Amino acid sequence: MQDRSSVIFGNKIPSKFIRKAAKAQRKFLRKYGDDRAADYHLVAVDNEVLTPVMGVKVLKLSKEPLGELPPNPVIIGNIRMGFGHYRISMAMASAAHAMGYTPLWLDLNSFPETTCTKIIGGQNDLYSLASRISQKSRLFNRLVWEPLNYTGFKQITYNAGDQKNAELMVPLFNDIPRDTPYIATHVWPSQAAVHAGMTHVVNAIPDNWPMALHLSEGALHTVQTPNAYFGYRTLCGFDKDNVLNPMGRKDIAYIGQYIDDEFVRNIEQDCASRINRLTTGKPVRFLLSIGGAGSQGDYFASLIKTLIPYIRDGRAALYLNIGDYANVWDFFKSKIPGIENLAALHFDKWSETKSFAENALNDSECAGAESRGLHVFCHKDIFAAVYATNLLMRACDVIMTKPSELAFYPVPKLMIQHVGGHERWGAIRSAEIGDGTPECPNLAYAEAMIQQFIATPDLLVNMNNAIISAKRAGIYNGAYHAVELAAGITGIDGDGSKYTYAGR
């Protein structure tokens, strides 16, 4: 196994950071066990939520070797860390399915008996805890969380530790043919695949703020924005004020935003439906999706309180997806007295959720329940919990979201405050395109924006027109291009020229 911690894109890492990375790896081995000699096998199984929609097969542990893969496979390597990386994975799977490939879902955080999943689960727990603390303690947020997310993760020395940890994730790749097209939607599955000897690895970087955290030398890095392309290509600021050797031209490509096929091909129709609702006085449909980190609870409660009078008088509707966290509904009931008397609950009824979204999307002349009131969605199944937002997004008029992965979706967006400093650049990108607001600087501003959208919906009409223009420019085609690159067919180089990616 090649050492990828000592030198990263031609930049030598100081020995003290290499020792620190090796020490952290030994700590994980003592805490979680050493299964590097284990002989794990996989099996591809159907998924109730994603197989009917996009042909996804989920890879799970098996006692028997994997054997022959389904036809035209593309592996989507991911982890559950919040909902964002799952959502990006769904975009890749949707695009792959539309292009005639079979998406194979490999979640490295779904094998609890392995050292790999134990490491990822432990890191995820720490990240979620810190996210929640950051929303309750201004001092912690200012002195710890913001600097770590904005400048700490940016330093190239940080990448050395992740590379050492990724060496412990290799056993899960035993069964997989090394030339299988592979798209990673988090850096750890990308690094693990490279360490395992996979040859067609695309590292789909999620954010608009360049950070060494996302580097996976040996993979082809893809980015969604010009700002991210320039930052990664030059590695500017990755070692404070020092100038680093840059990434190579063939190591990175700007391909556009990672969006599901069903979104992209229906943009004109969905925007036309929104514009019709907004210009004919129908209730403005708001969507609020609660992510996996569990932060911003009080903030969300205040947004809901602002909307309730408009929901009561028929000028607004709210779709509230609380993911797979039923306790969040208990929290809102404690914070918003009487909300349960206003809400229609859609809990663990996937077929009902699908029907609701389809009816809302059809937008019949007779305004049904989907066009008014407060609707709360919750599903224990993680795939349903995440994908419910996708279904509801197409039928809503505006989504209220922090500027994370949802900042890149082709739906009008009200950008609330970020949780990690890196997220703020998602709002910047959306505001540049015109399909979302700038980040709201405080709660009062977000509440004012809700009121303004209801009073003057032409602001949302403008966003829909910007979405249509952005589609014509190819801005939302990133998922298709990621599949092209992983599969080794003609793709797009960072400067816009064509080339064939035939593996690393």
Side-chain angles (χ1 to χ4, degrees), residues 1 25-40 113-116 118-119 164-165 167-171:
M1 185 183 299
Q25 186 193 68
R26 292 192 298 271
K27 179 181 177 181
F28 280 140
L29 287 171
R30 288 194 301 271
K31 184 174 183 179
Y32 299 123
D34 187 350
D35 64 356
R36 284 175 289 185
D39 191 20
Y40 293 125
E113 51 269 81
T114 68
T115 300
C116 171
K118 292 173 184 175
I119 291 173
K164 293 300 291 183
N165 294 339
E167 294 175 3
L168 307 181
M169 304 176 185
V170 168

Side-chain angles (χ1 to χ4, degrees), residues 305-351:
K305 287 179 183 177
T306 300
L307 272 169
I308 282 179
Y310 298 102
I311 294 172
R312 291 189 187 279
D313 69 13
R315 286 192 285 168
L318 174 60
Y319 305 155
L320 174 61
N321 182 21
I322 59 175
D324 57 350
Y325 295 98
N327 61 304
V328 170
W329 180 235
D330 295 328
F331 170 81
F332 285 139
K333 286 190 293 184
S334 70
K335 291 288 184 176
I336 311 172
I339 189 175
E340 63 269 28
N341 299 323
L342 185 65
L345 304 185
H346 310 267
F347 280 36
D348 292 312
K349 299 176 181 177
W350 180 238
S351 59

Side-chain angles (χ1 to χ4, degrees), residues 54 74 76 91-103 183 261 479-480 483:
M54 57 189 74
V74 172
I76 313 296
M92 299 299 183
S94 174
H97 178 65
M99 297 166 69
Y101 294 91
T102 301
I183 302 172
D261 169 70
Y480 302 118
V483 175

